[in-house]
Amino acid sequence: MKKFLLPLVVVFSLAIPAIAQAHTVTLTVACGKATIYWANFTPGGTSAGNDNNGGKNTPSWAFTFQAATGGAVQSYSGTASFTTASYTLVVPITPAVDGTILQASSSWTSAQTTDKVSGGD
C-alpha cells in the first residue's frame, strides 16, 4: 500500500483481491472525492442461478481520511448495491482538501453476493 501527498490532490490506491472468484475492489482519492470500484463480481439474474441476496452484490466499505492541515480524522462508510459485474461509487470528501487515507477496507460475506462468494481485505 502506498501513500502519496501531492499539492491539492491525494492519491491512494488499494487493490484487494477476493478469495476464489477474484472479486476485486480499488479505492482512489483525488480532488476531494473517493472513487471506489468493484469488479469481477457475478451479475444477478435468476436465469443464470445467480439470485442469492435478491440478485444484488452489496459489499460494505469504509475509509478514514486526515486533512493535511490537521484537524479531526474523518470516517466514511457504507454499503454499495449493484446487480452488475462491476460498479463505481463516488464519495465526496468534505471539505475538499489534500490529505492522507489512514485506513481503507471493503468486504462482503457470502450472503452479500449473488454467487455466495465472500471476500475483501
Side-chain angles (χ1 to χ4, degrees):
M1 199 159 60
K2 294 183 180 181
K3 297 178 189 174
F4 298 95
L5 181 58
L6 304 172
L8 303 177
V9 177
V10 177
V11 179
F12 175 80
S13 181
L14 172 69
I16 308 165
I19 300 167
Q21 293 287 322
H23 298 166
T24 60
V25 61
T26 303
L27 169 71
T28 56
V29 178
C31 301
K33 63 184 175 186
T35 302
I36 308 168
Y37 177 70
W38 291 270
N40 301 322
F41 279 73
T42 302
T46 55
S47 63
N50 298 321
D51 59 354
N52 187 56
N53 195 29
K56 296 180 182 177
N57 295 300
T58 56
S60 60
W61 57 270
F63 67 91
T64 54
F65 177 81
Q66 175 72 59
T69 56
V73 172
Q74 300 173 43
S75 296
Y76 298 85
S77 63
T79 301
S81 180
F82 53 97
T83 59
T84 54
S86 61
Y87 181 73
T88 301
L89 175 69
V90 177
V91 180
I93 294 175
T94 307
V97 296
D98 60 336
T100 303
I101 293 294
L102 302 175
Q103 263 185 324
S105 66
S106 181
S107 62
W108 44 92
T109 67
S110 60
Q112 291 177 288
T113 60
T114 62
D115 58 10
K116 300 180 184 176
V117 174
S118 61
D121 62 341

